[in-house]
Amino acid sequence: FSPNSKYILAATQDNTLRLWNYHTGKCLKMYKGHLNENYCCFGAFSVTGGKWIVSGSEDHCIYLWNLQNKEIVQKLQGHTDVVLCVDCHPLKNIIASGSLNKDKSVKIWKYDC
């Protein structure tokens, strides 16, 4: 759920994240550019320093999209395996990410967008 509880972000195995209106069930936006075909790579909302969509990827990276125009604004590299999970700090520009078997790490990213 988004911080205001109006939207849901769903990761699908077709290399797309979809933003849904919780109340109407309508898909409002689609975010593309990351790799997600075999695993469930979770996405998250970040509302500090702007409004962003954040997701892990099967190419070992973390992607940040501008929530409104759907453009990729940053690609974070540092993991050595699929990045399955991401979460964003509610008040600071910080992302936590977790990766699979070859990596088995949790990384903390401080970012400026």
Side-chain angles (χ1 to χ4, degrees):
F1 284 92
S2 62
N4 65 6
S5 299
K6 293 182 181 179
Y7 307 101
I8 297 172
L9 186 62
T12 56
Q13 291 179 320
D14 64 354
N15 303 313
T16 305
L17 288 161
R18 288 179 170 81
L19 181 68
W20 296 87
N21 181 307
Y22 171 71
H23 300 289
T24 66
K26 182 179 177 184
C27 181
L28 303 173
K29 295 183 187 285
M30 293 181 8
Y31 303 89
K32 298 181 178 186
H34 69 306
L35 181 62
N36 188 11
E37 296 175 340
N38 300 303
Y39 296 93
C40 184
C41 297
F42 292 98
F45 292 92
S46 177
V47 294
T48 58
K51 294 184 180 176
W52 318 105
I53 298 295
V54 181
S55 177
S57 178
E58 292 173 17
D59 67 357
H60 311 173
C61 298
I62 295 103
Y63 287 80
L64 284 80
W65 290 264
N66 178 295
L67 185 135
Q68 295 301 325
N69 67 23
K70 304 178 287 186
E71 292 181 7
I72 294 173
V73 295
Q74 199 163 6
K75 179 179 172 183
L76 303 173
Q77 299 174 320
H79 283 288
T80 58
D81 206 346
V82 174
V83 181
L84 283 185
C85 57
V86 295
D87 202 4
C88 300
H89 192 283
L91 302 174
K92 299 179 182 179
N93 292 342
I94 300 173
I95 298 169
S97 61
S99 187
L100 274 178
N101 299 334
K102 290 185 238 172
D103 192 326
K104 293 183 184 176
S105 72
V106 172
K107 295 190 182 297
I108 304 297
W109 310 81
K110 294 182 181 181
Y111 65 97
D112 295 313
C113 284

